[in-house]
């Protein structure tokens, strides 16, 4: 619907391209959740963290960059016209995705997540899960990167709200 109505004034003012990217990121996160429902395999173990990481970065990065653009417009004491094109914001979003890619690549080079199977109480039931033994430092770095984005995004949102008031 967003693409279909991309010429309407409300959709244009909301940066429809970034709305679509936000939806794409949300779909990646959902696919990451679905990998927990299917049978655990080496493939699903490998994709889960990447889907979540890329999905969050694309979804929240799009929202973050739209908020940053509004903040730059309102944090303008001289009331100059500031044009921030989508290409500029795409560059920043690409940088965020690139940071994710580097961290994930290093993590996967050090150790691919492994499928672990444990036999439960009655010796007939097995439980499988993904093991991330040597990957913990990289997961922590990914977590810190995401938390930093959230904190700065919350700050920008507060600044936008304070500027509008």
């Amino acid at each position: 619907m967003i693409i279909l109505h991309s010429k309407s004034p409300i959709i244009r003012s909301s940066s429809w391209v970034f709305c679509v990217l936000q939806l794409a990121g949300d779909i990646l996160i959902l696919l990451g959740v679905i990998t927990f429902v299917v049978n655990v395999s080496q493939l699903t173990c490998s994709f889960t963290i990447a889907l979540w990481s890329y999905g969050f970065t694309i979804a929240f990065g799009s929202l973050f960059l739209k908020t940053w653009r509004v903040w730059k417009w309102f944090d303008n004491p001289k009331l100059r016209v500031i044009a921030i094109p989508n290409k500029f914001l795409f560059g920043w979003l690409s940088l965020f995705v690139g940071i994710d890619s580097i961290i994930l690549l290093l993590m996967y080079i050090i150790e691919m997540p492994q499928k672990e199977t444990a036999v439960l109480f009655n010796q007939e039931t097995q439980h499988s899960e993904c093991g991330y033994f040597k990957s913990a430092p990289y997961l922590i770095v990914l977590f810190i990167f995401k938390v930093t984005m959230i904190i700065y995004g919350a700050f920008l949102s507060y600044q936008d709200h304070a500027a509008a008031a």
Side-chain angles (χ1 to χ4, degrees):
M1 291 304 287
I2 292 172
I3 296 172
L4 184 64
H5 297 289
S6 64
K7 301 292 183 200
S8 86
I10 292 175
I11 302 294
R12 282 189 57 216
S13 67
S14 67
S15 299
W16 72 270
V17 175
F18 288 99
C19 290
V20 170
L21 282 171
Q22 187 175 1
L23 287 171
D26 294 340
I27 290 169
L28 288 176
I29 292 170
L30 179 63
L31 289 173
V33 171
I34 290 173
T35 60
F36 271 121
V37 178
V38 298
N39 289 333
V40 175
S41 68
Q42 184 66 36
L43 185 65
T44 58
C45 285
S46 299
F47 278 130
T48 301
I49 296 295
L51 287 170
W52 281 357
S53 185
Y54 286 130
F56 179 85
T57 299
I58 292 169
F60 190 80
S62 299
L63 182 63
F64 169 79
L65 290 168
K66 283 172 45 172
T67 305
W68 179 82
R69 179 172 17 199
V70 171
W71 175 70
K72 288 300 279 184
W73 288 337
F74 285 110
D75 189 40
N76 182 8
K78 295 183 181 181
L79 298 177
R80 294 183 313 225
V81 175
I82 298 176
I84 303 171
N86 284 343
K87 282 185 179 182
F88 180 77
L89 298 180
F90 284 135
W92 278 100
L93 188 60
S94 298
L95 176 68
F96 296 157
V97 171
I99 291 170
D100 267 2
S101 297
I102 290 169
I103 296 168
L104 288 169
L105 183 66
L106 289 173
M107 183 178 89
Y108 289 148
I109 287 172
I110 297 298
E111 177 190 40
M112 289 295 286
Q114 299 295 320
K115 174 185 172 183
E116 295 179 348
T117 303
V119 178
L120 300 179
F121 304 109
N122 59 6
Q123 301 295 328
E124 295 176 10
T125 308
Q126 292 185 349
H127 171 72
S128 295
E129 61 184 30
C130 298
Y132 302 96
F133 301 108
K134 297 176 187 171
S135 305
Y138 300 100
L139 294 174
I140 291 169
V141 170
L142 272 176
F143 180 76
I144 290 170
F145 176 55
K146 307 299 183 202
V147 168
T148 304
M149 285 179 66
I150 290 172
I151 290 171
Y152 193 63
F155 168 76
L156 287 177
S157 182
Y158 175 76
Q159 291 296 320
D160 283 352
H161 175 72

